[in-house]
Amino acid sequence: MTLFIDRDYAAATYDFTIPARKPWSGQLRKGQVLRIVDLEGQQAVDTLLYNLSNTTERYSAQDTLTAQGAAYIEAGTALMSNEGNVMATVIADTCGRHDTSAGACSCESNTVRFGHHTRYMHACRENFLLEVSKYGMTKRDIVGNINFFMNVPIMPDGEVTIDDGISAPLGYVDLRADMDLLVVISNCPQVNNPCNGFNPTPVRVLVWDSAV
Amino acid sequence: MTALDQATPEENRARYEALKAGAHEKSPRLAQAAQEPSNPARIKPKKVLHRELIPGGWYWSTIVPRGETLRIVNGGTGSVSALFWNADDTSERYNAGDTVKIQWHAHLSKGRVLFSDMGRVLMSITDDTCGRHDFIAGGSTPFSNRRRYGDDSLRNSRDNFRLAAGKYGMGVKDVAPCMTFFAGVTTGANGHFQWTGGHDRAGDYVDLRAEMNVLAVLSNCPHPLDPAPQYAPKSVEAILWRSPEPDEDDLCRTATEEAVRGFENTDPLFGGRA
């Protein structure tokens, strides 16, 4: 399901463009809205959420999918924590298909998927580690994440493929924070699969103080 | 920047398509293996190291040293959720996303392997009479029990994993997405989950051969999507047994290029090939 909402970008209280391949993190207060804009289209945005005041409460892909009974994230999806609380809600989405099953790329998994010669390349879990380390966290804190704008169909026969993204340039997704959040993003640098058209591009993040 | 970072999108796409084609060419061997009859009797009594009956709702943990096999036997009602860590360094653990995307397949059965978050193989599925195991929806939680049964005081896998992890000095953050055996969940074209059973044949079993020293935790609780109206998990049996050494054409080690590379990452921890 897609859901469009017009917002005044000039009225945003925060506005930042995450360069291609780079990490980002920021705080979001309850009630604020984070928009992630896929500036050039087909860019996977790997995202983790933590409860700002207690980071042992964090996004749980399995709780989110089980609660909604379906495999993809779209407008209306409540993003659940490992404590069964709603962390954020997807209140706008121009894409209609986001993954939360395939996780993030890493140098190590790249060697298995794409060959040992891909070991020394940028990877999302390197981005995540650098970013969460600023908050005293380690690899143990990196759990299954959301891949906004990433198209990973899981076929009835079980086949899993990372397919070409279906998000258009300037497509966006809006998250309304339902608790105070730490948001960590890796703007995916992967060029070994089509998650970003083999061409990592920048994304823009904006925050508004209210959902309307 | 590596040379690969500077390749054109067209060159990278050609690499990806070649890998995808290769993964599918190899899969007939796995399909054939799934048809081969299993032989529960092939555990000779003297090979059994330990048997454990896990009551409904409860959990059990064990170290499975490299080369030994953990058999999980369905008691007839339940599914069994499981988490795995590298016992020598518990910061390394089962990674659900890597396990399916690396193998291009969500239906994990005989011949497939379970990957850690470090590109290594934790466990090989060397035998499997059920073929229905869930990687995506996870185990039960207090909230799923409240939703399913109206009672969040029933025992659940999330708390079971936290209890087990705590006894090894780990905490909440060590409880990552799990996998659940004997739980059939497929994804329809619209993304909605469909329960395909797999939970009701007593005696079904899955054999997991440890490819490193593994800390395994099993939680005997109903899957959160199991439509059975009653919360009534029966006991399941876990058997730890001294399994045969993998031979040169071992299915799990050789069926896919991805597994081959996974073992190339794993074996050096132990000085080379098993």
Side-chain angles (χ1 to χ4, degrees), chain B residues 221-244:
Chain B
C221 292
H223 189 276
L225 300 180
D226 185 340
Q230 300 300 320
Y231 178 97
K234 289 183 183 165
S235 298
V236 300
E237 188 174 30
I239 304 170
L240 204 53
W241 62 291
R242 194 173 287 114
S243 49

Side-chain angles (χ1 to χ4, degrees), chain B:
Chain B
M1 287 288 205
T2 69
L4 289 173
D5 278 313
Q6 292 162 357
T8 67
E10 291 71 26
E11 289 166 341
N12 284 330
R13 181 177 296 279
R15 276 196 302 128
Y16 181 75
E17 294 297 339
L19 285 164
K20 183 176 170 181
H24 289 286
E25 275 170 23
K26 284 269 189 172
S27 60
R29 199 174 156 208
L30 291 169
Q32 186 186 352
Q35 303 302 319
E36 292 167 3
S38 296
N39 177 16
R42 78 189 170 97
I43 304 185
K44 294 188 172 65
K46 67 180 182 183
K47 299 286 187 188
V48 172
L49 301 161
H50 183 77
R51 287 178 182 269
E52 187 78 25
L53 208 56
I54 309 168
W58 277 85
Y59 66 95
W60 178 64
S61 64
T62 188
I63 303 285
V64 192
R66 174 167 154 105
E68 293 182 8
T69 294
L70 174 64
R71 172 170 295 186
I72 309 169
V73 186
N74 194 338
T77 58
S79 51
V80 180
S81 296
L83 277 178
F84 307 99
W85 292 265
N86 174 348
D88 300 322
D89 172 6
T90 54
S91 72
E92 179 173 7
R93 63 193 181 201
Y94 169 68
N95 187 293
D98 283 357
T99 295
V100 297
K101 77 183 174 192
I102 283 174
Q103 300 182 90
W104 308 77
H105 220 278
H107 292 178
L108 303 171
S109 186
K110 183 177 177 180
R112 298 290 184 179
V113 299
L114 307 184
F115 278 95
S116 79
D117 63 336
M118 294 296 285
R120 301 188 187 111
V121 180
L122 283 157
M123 295 288 223
S124 291
I125 305 177
T126 53
D127 203 357
D128 176 18
T129 63
C130 178
R132 293 173 181 175
H133 313 296
D134 166 49
F135 93 98
I136 190 169
S140 61
T141 64
F143 347 111
S144 74
N145 279 345
R146 190 189 314 141
R147 204 162 47 230
R148 277 287 296 111
Y149 310 104
D151 184 354
D152 58 13
S153 71
L154 297 165
R155 294 194 65 96
N156 67 84
S157 289
R158 175 70 44 79
D159 287 344
N160 280 344
F161 288 140
R162 290 181 178 186
L163 287 164
K167 290 180 179 176
Y168 291 89
M170 297 187 285
V172 168
K173 60 176 62 175
D174 296 288
V175 177
C178 67
M179 88 168 280
T180 305
F181 297 99
F182 316 122
V185 178
T186 60
T187 305
N190 57 3
H192 286 244
F193 293 142
Q194 291 163 334
W195 177 259
T196 58
H199 61 296
D200 53 359
R201 283 196 308 205
D204 264 347
Y205 67 89
V206 59
D207 271 341
L208 305 170
R209 184 179 67 211
E211 305 295 355
M212 60 174 75
N213 299 321
V214 170
L215 166 59
V217 176
L218 306 181
S219 169
N220 178 14
C221 292
H223 189 276
L225 300 180
D226 185 340
Q230 300 300 320
Y231 178 97
K234 289 183 183 165
S235 298
V236 300
E237 188 174 30
I239 304 170
L240 204 53
W241 62 291
R242 194 173 287 114
S243 49
E245 293 248 329
D247 51 27
E248 283 302 315
D249 67 343
D250 180 78
L251 179 69
C252 295
R253 282 180 161 263
T254 60
T256 68
E257 295 298 327
E258 290 79 10
V260 168
R261 289 192 288 270
F263 280 101
E264 286 168 355
N265 288 343
T266 311
D267 290 341
L269 290 180
F270 299 90
R273 180 80 163 73

Side-chain angles (χ1 to χ4, degrees), chain A residues 105-124 126 129 190 192, chain B residues 2 4-5 15 117-120 261 265:
Chain A
C105 59
S106 73
C107 294
E108 292 78 15
S109 67
N110 284 350
T111 68
V112 184
R113 296 188 69 207
F114 307 118
H116 295 294
H117 60 296
T118 62
R119 170 68 179 81
Y120 297 102
M121 299 180 74
H122 299 288
C124 281
E126 308 267 307
L129 260 178
Q190 181 63 264
N192 293 293
Chain B
T2 69
L4 289 173
D5 278 313
R15 276 196 302 128
D117 63 336
M118 294 296 285
R120 301 188 187 111
R261 289 192 288 270
N265 288 343

Side-chain angles (χ1 to χ4, degrees), chain A residues 81-101:
Chain A
S81 79
N82 58 339
E83 302 293 348
N85 298 314
V86 180
M87 304 189 84
T89 306
V90 180
I91 58 170
D93 172 23
T94 64
C95 175
R97 172 62 70 91
H98 310 275
D99 165 73
T100 192
S101 302

Side-chain angles (χ1 to χ4, degrees), chain A residues 8-58:
Chain A
D8 179 5
Y9 282 26
T13 56
Y14 179 88
D15 185 351
F16 181 74
T17 297
I18 309 173
R21 303 175 188 270
K22 295 296 187 185
W24 172 87
S25 65
Q27 298 178 6
L28 208 57
R29 295 290 167 183
K30 182 177 179 179
Q32 286 186 320
V33 171
L34 172 72
R35 171 167 292 191
I36 305 170
V37 185
D38 185 4
L39 290 171
E40 299 183 27
Q42 291 197 339
Q43 174 61 34
V45 183
D46 292 41
T47 305
L48 287 166
L49 306 174
Y50 301 87
N51 177 336
L52 187 59
S53 59
N54 173 12
T55 58
T56 62
E57 178 169 21
R58 68 272 311 270

